[in-house]
Amino acid sequence: LDARRVGDLAYGIYAADAKADPHRAPWVDLDEAFIDKPEQQWLAERFPERRTLLRANRGGIIGELALATGACCLMPRCIGDRTRGLAALDTEATGRELWLVRHQDMAHLPRLRVVADWLADTLCDGRWVVPAH
């Protein structure tokens, strides 16, 4: 397999109210099945006493629930920044590495490069990270 780091998937804290206090406002969180993920661990460390209203398993759903309830949510910036009605409360909340893994025989196919570039542009900062060898 050929593995390449695409970049960093940045997360931010969002709410419908740009003046919401994430220490006091209710939250919409990821489903408990994701408790071991780095972003959920970061959230638990920073806001251990948060009151969770609802849980979901996708960023887009979390954003819609936050809009409907006035709650805060932690979600990828590539989703939060594009969700109409959500305000970024903290755009440097946390992040995680995003990797693309493909079969080495297919690594140089133009169609895979197009998909990889789209992922980098859409989910990250648009720059490929070249791993050190």
Side-chain angles (χ1 to χ4, degrees):
L1 296 176
D2 174 64
R4 300 217 185 234
R5 184 171 169 216
V6 176
D8 293 311
L9 182 60
Y11 280 73
I13 298 173
Y14 295 88
D17 180 0
K19 296 179 183 178
D21 180 353
H23 292 280
R24 295 190 174 142
W27 280 79
V28 175
D29 283 344
L30 273 175
D31 187 90
E32 290 176 343
F34 298 97
I35 199 159
D36 63 329
K37 302 302 178 211
E39 60 273 15
Q40 287 305 105
Q41 292 173 353
W42 180 91
L43 188 58
E45 289 173 9
R46 300 308 187 287
F47 301 97
E49 303 297 322
R50 72 188 182 283
R51 182 173 48 101
T52 301
L53 293 178
L54 299 164
R55 295 184 184 276
N57 62 0
R58 298 190 191 279
I61 296 171
I62 288 172
E64 293 299 321
L65 291 172
L67 279 171
T69 63
C72 293
C73 64
L74 178 68
M75 59 193 310
R77 289 191 55 203
C78 61
I79 297 172
D81 290 350
R82 293 178 178 139
T83 301
R84 187 171 303 187
L86 283 183
L89 304 180
D90 177 352
T91 59
E92 301 300 326
T94 187
R96 64 169 25 199
E97 293 178 350
L98 186 64
W99 289 76
L100 177 68
V101 180
R102 55 198 171 179
H103 192 278
Q104 64 185 9
D105 292 344
M106 303 179 96
H108 302 291
L109 290 176
R111 64 182 179 246
L112 289 183
R113 182 60 190 214
V114 168
V115 170
D117 288 344
W118 177 83
L119 285 171
D121 288 341
T122 304
L123 301 178
C124 300
D125 58 12
R127 290 177 284 137
W128 275 85
V129 177
V130 180
H133 292 269

